Amino acid sequence: VSALKTSSSDYVAQTVVEKKDRVDWRRNSVFFAWGLLYLGGVQYFIYVRLFAKRLFPGAAAFAAKPIREKIADKAGQKAVLQQVFLDQFVHH
């Protein structure tokens, strides 16, 4: 899915935004590969395998709680902040 989205986005950028007469398919294939390998593969590993299953196994249970329970769950809130920190300051 991510490969098709990045490829489609580049196609729209070339034809609508840049108003090119011909699509640069080599460039488009680079976007397709980026979407497939990095967005589809690497980020799946980071967010599903590493974050959800290894580093923060309670994240899904916290996310499923009603808002009142989330407010009372200080450990869950701490885990969310840790996830945001890792995502924003380590991964990116």
Side-chain angles (χ1 to χ4, degrees):
V1 173
S2 60
L4 293 175
K5 285 172 57 178
T6 53
S7 176
S8 298
S9 297
D10 179 57
Y11 180 83
V12 170
Q14 288 188 50
T15 58
V16 177
V17 177
E18 298 171 8
K19 299 186 186 334
K20 289 187 172 187
D21 294 330
R22 298 180 62 162
V23 175
D24 181 350
W25 292 109
R26 183 170 184 250
R27 172 180 134 174
N28 191 271
S29 66
V30 170
F31 275 91
F32 182 87
W34 174 259
L36 179 69
L37 300 173
Y38 180 72
L39 298 177
V42 173
Q43 288 192 355
Y44 173 83
F45 172 77
I46 290 170
Y47 293 110
V48 176
R49 298 287 183 185
L50 186 60
F51 273 34
K53 295 190 178 180
R54 303 228 175 170
L55 298 177
F56 307 103
F62 180 79
K65 290 181 179 182
I67 190 71
R68 288 181 192 252
E69 289 181 33
K70 287 179 184 174
I71 292 170
D73 186 353
K74 301 301 180 200
Q77 292 175 26
K78 181 180 176 185
V80 169
L81 291 175
Q82 290 171 333
Q83 289 176 59
V84 171
F85 176 81
L86 282 175
D87 179 51
Q88 296 300 309
F89 299 106
V90 177
H91 174 238
H92 291 285

